[in-house]
Amino acid sequence: MEKETVIIHVAGSEYSILTEEEPSYVEALADTLDKDITAIVQANRRLSMTQAAILVALDYADKAAKESEAADNLRGQIKEYLEDSARYKMEAEVARRDVERLQKELKNAKTKPF
């Protein structure tokens, strides 16, 4: 994908971003960031924009770390499910073979005289 320049506005400042992402995606991210910084500044007017941006960045980093951990847990669960599935498939195959063997033995027993 080709890189494109996108102009965004965050906390009263304009930024020119060079990205391979869709402009609408980058603009949506910037809009969310702007709203989050603005909300923190409005809640505590003594904070500078830099301080608010750092608090928002810490919140985003926390969310990203927790989501990454959750994704790792899900990957682990999926791996366990796949291992269980493979084990059950193998057990089903063994059971199928046992059924076939027992059916043959039963057929042979019915055809043999006592």
Side-chain angles (χ1 to χ4, degrees):
M1 186 171 197
E2 193 172 309
K3 290 188 178 185
E4 186 173 347
T5 300
V6 179
I7 306 296
I8 60 169
H9 297 89
V10 176
S13 296
E14 182 177 280
Y15 300 92
S16 178
I17 307 293
L18 185 62
T19 181
E20 292 181 353
E21 300 293 337
E22 289 292 324
S24 60
Y25 173 75
V26 176
E27 290 164 356
L29 290 176
D31 186 51
T32 300
L33 179 60
D34 182 58
K35 287 177 183 174
D36 290 347
I37 291 173
T38 300
I40 287 178
V41 169
Q42 287 177 351
N44 188 344
R45 301 239 180 233
R46 287 184 275 188
L47 290 178
S48 69
M49 284 297 173
T50 302
Q51 291 169 321
I54 289 171
L55 291 175
V56 170
L58 282 172
D59 185 50
Y60 287 2
D62 177 54
K63 288 177 184 175
K66 288 177 180 172
E67 292 299 324
S68 179
E69 183 179 336
D72 287 343
N73 289 338
L74 286 173
R75 278 189 284 276
Q77 286 179 349
I78 289 170
K79 182 180 176 187
E80 287 177 23
Y81 294 151
L82 290 173
E83 289 168 354
D84 288 347
S85 175
R87 186 176 67 251
Y88 295 142
K89 186 176 180 179
M90 186 183 305
E91 289 174 4
E93 180 62 24
V94 168
R96 185 189 62 75
R97 288 182 191 154
D98 286 344
V99 167
E100 287 177 1
R101 180 183 52 79
L102 291 170
Q103 285 174 338
K104 287 178 185 177
E105 287 179 17
L106 180 60
K107 184 178 177 182
N108 289 337
K110 285 182 179 178
T111 59
K112 287 185 182 179
F114 288 102

